[in-house]
Amino acid sequence: MALCLAIETSCDDTSVALVSETGEVRRCLSQGQDAAHAPFGGIVPEIACRNHTFHLLPLIEQLLTDAQVTPEQITGLAVTSRPGLIGSLIVGVVTAKTLAMSWQKPWIAVNHLEGHLLAPFLRDSQYQPQFSWDEPYLALAVSGGHSTIYEVEGLHRYRRLGNTLDDAAGEAFDKFGKMIGLGFPGGVQVDRLSDGGDAKKYEFPRGLIHEETLNMSFSGLKSAAHRILSQMSASEIEKERSHLCASFQEAVVDALMAKLDLAAMKTKSRNVVITGGVSANRCLRRKVQEWAQVRRLKVQIPPPRYCTDNAAMVGLAGVLRLVRGESSTWATAPTPSSLPTDFIA
Ligand code: KG4
Ligand code: ZN
C-alpha cells in the first residue's frame, strides 16, 4: 500500500501528513500563524515564509515519530508547488526535494487546488466519504484565495466552469470581519457570531445572482457593508454584531448556492462536493445539505479539518499520481499560479 509524506506551505499554514493511496489519513499535523499576522489585518508574505522555515522540519520529525513511520516505509513525497505565495511555496518545495534526494524517494509537485478538490475523499476513523473520486462530480471550492466551480470528469480531469470576478468568498468574510472589529481571519468568527442573529435585518447584495453566468462577485458586499456601517456608531455596531454577521453570511451563502444550483442544472451532475476554508461555514454546509436533499443529489462535505488548508489533501493528490508512475524532476520549481495543463478546457 503506497504511503505518501505530504507538505503544504502555500499560504500561512504549515502542514504535514501521511496519506495512503486509499485516502486514509494516517496522521496530519498543522501549525497555523494567525497570531503572527493578526496585528497586520492580513497575511504578510515575508512573515509567512520565515515561519514555515521554523515550523516545517520539527513538524515532519514529530509526524514520523507519532506515526512510528521511518523514511524507508514511505513511497514518496508530495508538496504543494502552486498556486500560492512564492516564498512560502519555495520553503515546502526545497524541503521536499532535499528529503527526496537524501532518502532516495520520488517526489511530486502538486497543485493546491487539486488538493482541495480531493479533500472530500480523505478518510479517517471519524470520516468516510460516500462516493469515490473516480465518479464525476461538481465542486464548489471556496477559500480565502479562490471561489471557483469545477466540473470534475474523473481523476485529473478538472474543468473550471465559473470563478469569482473579484474577491474570493473567504476574502469577503475576512474584510467584513475587519470592518466590524473582529480579528483576522474573520470568517470563522462571523460564522460563530451569526448564531441567533436575524439574517433578514440588514440588506446585503447577492452579486450576479439573477444572471445566467457561473461567475461570482463579492466586491459589492464590501461597499454595502461600508455604507451600512458608516451610518452606525461603534457601540451600535457592537450591539448589532450578531444581526450584521447573520445578514452578511446569508448574502454570501445565497450567492454561492445560486451558482451551485445553476451549475448542477447545467451539468446535470448527480454528485456534488464543497471544499476550501469557507466550506467549514455552518450555514453553507446546512444549506448545501438541504438543497441536495431537495434535488436528490449525493453530496460530500469534508469535516472542517479537511476544508481549511491541510497537507492530507495534498498527500492524496500526490499519492494518486505517484502510484500512476508520475514524479517530478529536480528542475521542477514552484510557481505562484496554476499551470495551463492543470485544468481541461
Ligand atoms: O482554504 P483556506 O484555509 O486557505 C486558502 O486556501 O485560502 O481558507 C481560508 C479562508 C479564510 O478566508 C477564512 O476566513 C475562511 O476560509 N473560513 C471561513 C470559515 N472558516 C474558514 N469562512 C466562513 N466561515 C467559516 N466557518
Ligand atoms: Zn486552500
Side-chain angles (χ1 to χ4, degrees):
M1 171 82 67
L3 184 67
C4 180
L5 191 158
I7 297 173
E8 157 62 43
T9 62
S10 66
C11 193
D12 61 332
D13 292 310
T14 318
S15 183
V16 297
L18 285 164
V19 182
S20 82
E21 68 187 286
T22 60
E24 194 207 334
V25 184
R26 291 275 292 274
R27 200 132 203 133
C28 181
L29 295 178
S30 303
Q31 175 131 24
Q33 304 182 14
D34 287 349
H37 300 279
F40 304 95
I43 291 162
V44 183
E46 290 79 3
I47 294 177
C49 85
R50 193 181 55 193
N51 282 337
H52 288 309
T53 65
F54 296 145
H55 298 156
L56 185 52
L57 284 176
L59 271 182
I60 293 172
E61 280 182 350
Q62 195 188 334
L63 178 82
L64 293 173
T65 307
D66 289 358
Q68 298 190 311
V69 167
T70 61
E72 295 79 57
Q73 290 170 300
I74 66 161
T75 311
L77 292 102
V79 59
T80 302
S81 74
R82 62 196 187 277
L85 302 172
I86 192 65
S88 293
L89 292 166
I90 287 171
V91 177
V93 170
V94 168
T95 305
K97 279 190 194 180
T98 307
L99 293 176
M101 201 174 270
S102 64
W103 294 343
Q104 300 188 316
K105 299 284 179 183
W107 76 286
I108 183 103
V110 168
N111 184 309
H112 179 82
L113 300 168
E114 180 176 24
H116 277 305
L117 288 173
L118 290 171
F121 306 105
L122 291 167
R123 50 181 73 229
D124 59 30
S125 56
Q126 281 131 46
Y127 173 72
Q128 305 289 323
Q130 304 299 308
F131 58 92
S132 146
W133 59 70
D134 287 324
E135 294 179 48
Y137 61 96
L138 185 70
L140 173 69
V142 271
S143 70
H146 306 271
S147 291
T148 309
I149 296 178
Y150 296 88
E151 182 180 27
V152 183
E153 287 184 356
L155 196 56
H156 305 156
R157 298 192 58 78
Y158 312 112
R159 179 179 293 115
R160 281 181 287 212
L161 299 181
N163 248 316
T164 179
L165 299 177
D166 36 63
D167 292 347
E171 198 178 352
F173 270 113
D174 295 340
K175 283 181 179 166
F176 178 72
K178 202 166 165 181
M179 282 186 196
I180 61 165
L182 306 175
F184 175 83
V188 69
Q189 298 181 66
V190 173
D191 182 345
R192 284 201 199 113
L193 285 167
S194 297
D195 284 345
D198 177 2
K200 306 282 177 256
K201 184 149 185 193
Y202 294 94
E203 208 162 301
F204 288 98
R206 275 85 168 141
L208 303 179
I209 199 167
H210 298 300
E211 322 258 328
E212 261 299 293
T213 174
L214 291 175
N215 290 327
M216 296 159 260
S217 169
F218 298 101
S219 64
L221 278 165
K222 225 175 7 191
S223 334
H226 188 74
R227 207 171 46 246
I228 292 169
L229 296 172
S230 64
Q231 289 159 6
M232 298 171 79
S233 69
S235 62
E236 254 180 306
I237 294 174
E238 172 81 33
K239 199 163 80 43
E240 288 295 296
R241 251 185 191 174
S242 146
H243 302 311
L244 284 163
C245 285
S247 303
F248 183 88
Q249 174 177 269
E250 190 158 277
V252 176
V253 170
D254 282 352
L256 293 173
M257 290 307 303
K259 294 306 163 190
L260 188 59
D261 190 46
L262 183 61
M265 294 301 106
K266 282 192 173 190
T267 58
K268 302 191 170 45
S269 298
R270 303 309 305 158
N271 301 324
V272 178
V273 310
I274 61 169
T275 185
V278 179
S279 65
N281 182 270
R282 291 168 304 158
C283 174
L284 177 63
R285 297 167 81 90
R286 195 176 56 246
K287 293 220 174 168
V288 168
Q289 292 285 11
E290 290 166 0
W291 165 79
Q293 231 170 12
V294 172
R295 291 274 190 219
R296 296 176 182 279
L297 305 173
K298 272 200 271 182
V299 68
Q300 198 62 62
I301 307 177
R305 61 185 174 284
Y306 300 141
C307 291
T308 47
D309 285 351
N310 66 86
M313 66 185 196
V314 177
L316 179 55
V319 72
L320 291 176
R321 288 185 180 272
L322 288 171
V323 294
R324 281 161 181 73
E326 281 184 51
S327 66
S328 298
T329 67
W330 301 127
T332 304
T335 56
S337 312
S338 292
L339 304 174
T341 47
D342 289 335
F343 303 102
I344 56 174

